[in-house]
Amino acid sequence: MKKRIKLIKRFIYSRVAFCFLLLAMQIFMYLFFIIRFSPYIFYLAGVNLSMSFMFMAYLSNCDGKNEFKFAWLLPTMIFPLFGISLYIYTKMATGNSRMKNKIRLAEQNTLQEISTAEKNSGSSEIPGLSFYLRKNGNFPAYTDSSVEYFPCGEKFFADFIGELKKAEKFIFLEFFIITPDSSWKEILAVLKEKAHSGVEVRVLCDGIGSLMASSNEYQKYLNLTGISSRIYMPLAPVFNLQQNNRDHRKIAVIDGKTAYTGGLNLADEYFNRGQNKFCYWKDSAVKIRGNAVKTYTALFLQMWSLAKSRKKKQSESYKKFFPEAENFSSGENILIPYADNAYNEKDIAENIYLHILSRAEKNICITTPYIIIDNQLKSALIFAANRGINVSLIVPSRPDHFLAFCIGKTFLKTLVENGVHVYLYLPGFIHSKIFASDGKIATVGSVNLDYRSLFHHFEAGLLIYRHPVVKEIQRDFEITKLSCKEMKIEDYKKLPLTIRITGRIFRIFAPLL
């Protein structure tokens, strides 16, 4: 039943499904017009051709990535009427001024609290990157905070439950997936106990990622237990391309003093409990303590204000959620919590990766469950490998999403051909998202190396610089590599023909998936 629900929601709210629906409608209309207006078919073809060339001229003069432009050219050249209509509708969704204003207002409401952290920030070691993040996202750099790395869901879960039990003032949970299974029941028992004792508990989940938890009945149940719960973009029986801009973040904040982020959602499979599709689920997360937690508190409150509420929204003072945290003075060690979304038009997550690639001196270690990247990031990976950097990438050996797996194989083939070491994780599925280099700098968060994470979703992560945990992350990478098989060109050639053909065909539309 769960598998059927997942398949249905992925199909309904994918741009591919929407594209195919519109194309099917247009084919039907074309057939109707051909039969009904056959004497005028020559003029109809002329109008279509004119529309296609005008759109092509417009698109070539627009700003933006060429991959997105190319993905739009094919459907608009073949089916101009609906292709152009879909393009306009998409632009209206991602360029929605109303949503941008909501996000801007939400950020402004927490700006003052984040600004108070300025005196605790330090950026002398990485001035360019810290300046960029401060200017483009209001993400300060902290030298007074600590970080702990969790190489798997089991270790994270035990620590997470322990911190929840220590909560005294508030608990904020924001996760893409919350599944009402045994793991969530254990977490929920603590949340209910804390809510009854006077701790403010807020739970925010995504309406598509958490399909069961976002149902009306379950939301009523949570609110009856004293837990405030909201859904970001609930499932709706209408086509709305904003549904593609999901809240993919994984953030937990406890008392404004402790925070978690990473790739883990709240479901059994992430903690290797119960019966799962994969033998073992490899993931990662970090725990942050100190003033850096303020950024995650702000990120949660921003998304909380954007999420749908059953009650009338009232303005509230956020000051109580930003207590002065314990000082973990760490010298030159720097932590920069950051976030990204489809509406800021800044590609913050990708720019961080590009910065790391350009500054690497010895090695780059990357783990990602999906790899569907633009030419800029692909070229940066290849250039790093070609200038003598040991670029290593760990990806799953088995598919989680078939289409993404097929397309990803075409990118992996190109990377392997150009000197990037690609390792296929054998024990199960790797969902971890880390990007580390030279034992000096690393990121851990929710950002996958695909178009959805890099350009469409709300994401969050942590940039770590000159902290001992970076070497710990890279050690975990090397240990994980022992359970992998290095991919060779021959491995791609041995793939079933259906996978290779599917990947090649749908790679054209990768930016729209």
Side-chain angles (χ1 to χ4, degrees):
M1 183 63 182
K2 289 182 180 179
K3 289 183 179 179
R4 289 182 180 177
I5 292 174
K6 285 183 179 180
L7 288 173
I8 291 171
K9 71 182 182 183
R10 287 171 190 164
F11 180 78
I12 291 177
Y13 284 101
S14 69
R15 294 190 181 193
V16 177
F18 197 19
C19 288
F20 277 124
L21 179 63
L22 288 176
L23 290 176
M25 290 172 60
Q26 186 167 357
I27 290 171
F28 176 80
M29 289 186 66
Y30 272 167
L31 291 174
F32 172 79
F33 276 110
I34 288 172
I35 296 171
R36 182 70 177 79
F37 300 103
S38 55
Y40 309 100
I41 193 66
F42 177 79
Y43 301 103
L44 180 62
V47 170
N48 280 344
L49 189 61
S50 298
M51 289 176 64
S52 297
F53 276 108
M54 284 190 292
F55 179 76
M56 184 169 60
Y58 163 78
L59 203 61
S60 64
N61 286 279
C62 286
D63 293 330
K65 294 183 177 294
N66 289 330
E67 295 89 344
F68 284 94
K69 295 179 183 180
F70 185 76
W72 281 112
L73 279 178
L74 185 60
T76 52
M77 289 294 288
I78 301 174
F79 302 107
L81 180 61
F82 277 89
I84 294 171
S85 299
L86 178 60
Y87 176 83
I88 294 171
Y89 185 38
T90 302
K91 285 297 179 182
M92 289 174 63
T94 56
N96 190 306
S97 58
R98 184 180 176 187
M99 176 59 84
K100 286 184 177 180
N101 289 335
K102 284 182 178 180
I103 294 172
R104 192 178 299 112
L105 180 61
E107 291 174 347
Q108 287 175 352
N109 289 339
T110 58
L111 179 62
Q112 184 176 357
E113 306 303 335
I114 291 295
S115 296
T116 60
E118 192 80 57
K119 63 179 182 297
N120 298 311
S121 67
S123 57
S124 60
E125 289 292 322
I126 44 173
L129 187 56
S130 62
F131 177 82
Y132 167 78
L133 290 171
R134 190 67 180 87
K135 180 182 178 181
N136 290 276
N138 192 41
F139 304 127
Y142 299 89
T143 58
D144 60 354
S145 302
S146 70
V147 59
E148 181 180 352
Y149 175 71
F150 298 99
C152 62
E154 301 93 307
K155 291 185 178 180
F156 163 84
F157 188 81
D159 190 88
F160 181 55
I161 288 290
E163 290 292 345
L164 288 176
K165 291 178 178 178
K166 297 176 187 177
E168 297 177 349
K169 295 180 179 179
F170 65 89
I171 297 172
F172 294 161
L173 302 183
E174 176 186 350
F175 285 85
F176 176 62
I177 296 175
I178 295 178
T179 303
D181 53 23
S182 63
S183 299
W184 173 245
K185 287 178 182 177
E186 189 173 339
I187 294 169
L188 186 59
V190 179
L191 298 181
K192 289 193 289 187
E193 180 183 343
K194 288 297 176 180
H196 292 159
S197 66
V199 174
E200 183 173 353
V201 181
R202 299 187 186 187
V203 175
L204 173 61
C205 63
D206 184 82
I208 300 299
S210 305
L211 198 60
M212 289 183 285
S214 62
S215 66
N216 291 337
E217 294 75 13
Y218 199 78
Q219 288 299 301
K220 288 178 182 177
Y221 166 71
L222 289 179
N223 284 285
L224 285 173
T225 64
I227 297 171
S228 298
S229 181
R230 288 185 185 178
I231 310 300
Y232 180 77
M233 284 286 176
L235 182 67
V238 293
F239 284 111
N240 178 359
L241 288 186
Q242 286 185 9
Q243 293 280 355
N244 283 286
N245 308 129
R246 307 313 313 176
D247 180 9
H248 193 246
R249 296 173 180 174
K250 293 88 172 155
I251 295 175
V253 181
I254 301 166
D255 290 341
K257 298 178 180 180
T258 302
Y260 294 89
T261 194
L264 291 156
N265 289 295
L266 302 183
D268 278 348
E269 61 185 343
Y270 295 89
F271 313 122
N272 292 296
R273 292 179 159 197
Q275 294 182 342
N276 299 307
K277 178 181 178 181
F278 299 99
C279 295
Y280 187 78
W281 190 279
K282 166 67 176 172
D283 221 316
S284 61
V286 286
K287 177 169 76 171
I288 304 96
R289 298 178 67 193
N291 276 302
V293 175
K294 289 182 178 180
T295 299
Y296 292 108
T297 304
L299 290 175
F300 174 87
L301 291 170
Q302 290 164 16
M303 286 304 297
W304 182 260
S305 67
L306 294 176
K308 182 179 179 181
S309 175
R310 300 180 184 279
K311 298 179 181 179
K312 186 177 179 180
K313 294 183 182 179
Q314 297 178 345
S315 59
E316 62 175 328
S317 173
Y318 291 152
K319 193 171 184 63
K320 62 182 178 179
F321 300 124
F322 294 87
E324 192 62 29
E326 184 179 351
N327 190 311
F328 295 87
S329 183
S330 54
E332 63 180 2
N333 301 340
I334 296 172
L335 303 182
I336 310 180
Y338 66 91
D340 203 357
N341 65 71
Y343 299 91
N344 60 24
E345 299 177 353
K346 296 188 184 292
D347 303 340
I348 289 173
E350 183 182 49
N351 286 333
I352 291 173
Y353 294 155
L354 292 172
H355 176 90
I356 295 173
L357 287 166
S358 67
R359 298 298 182 91
E361 297 176 352
K362 296 179 181 178
N363 55 65
I364 297 169
C365 304
I366 304 167
T367 64
T368 179
Y370 318 108
I371 180 155
I372 305 175
I373 51 180
D374 64 4
N375 284 332
Q376 188 176 14
L377 191 52
K378 182 186 71 176
S379 298
L381 286 163
I382 292 172
F383 179 61
N386 288 342
R387 63 187 178 89
I389 307 301
N390 183 0
V391 182
S392 299
L393 173 69
I394 298 179
V395 296
S397 60
R398 296 172 56 195
D400 178 33
H401 303 291
F402 179 73
L403 193 56
F405 181 80
C406 294
I407 299 172
K409 285 295 184 182
T410 67
F411 284 95
L412 294 176
K413 174 181 178 290
T414 302
L415 294 177
V416 170
E417 287 175 333
N418 287 276
V420 176
H421 299 285
V422 174
Y423 298 91
L424 307 177
Y425 185 69
L426 299 176
F429 188 78
I430 186 163
H431 191 254
S432 172
K433 308 102 169 26
I434 65 170
F435 212 106
S437 176
D438 296 337
K440 293 193 302 184
I441 189 169
T443 70
V444 179
S446 64
V447 185
N448 298 316
L449 291 187
D450 63 10
Y451 282 93
R452 280 196 166 275
S453 270
L454 292 170
F455 309 116
H456 298 318
H457 289 340
F458 289 85
E459 304 283 358
L462 177 69
L463 179 67
I464 311 165
Y465 184 74
R466 288 196 180 280
H467 193 289
V469 82
V470 176
K471 292 182 179 179
E472 187 180 337
I473 291 170
Q474 293 201 234
R475 278 197 300 272
D476 177 51
F477 181 90
E478 293 301 323
I479 292 171
T480 304
K481 203 165 70 172
L482 297 176
S483 301
C484 299
K485 171 191 174 184
E486 185 168 5
M487 178 180 170
K488 304 294 183 182
I489 295 300
E490 291 73 24
D491 295 319
Y492 178 81
K493 294 177 181 178
K494 291 177 183 178
L495 288 172
L497 186 61
T498 52
I499 291 180
R500 285 180 284 157
I501 292 176
T502 302
R504 290 296 181 187
I505 293 174
F506 283 93
R507 179 168 172 168
I508 300 171
F509 304 102
L512 308 181
L513 298 181

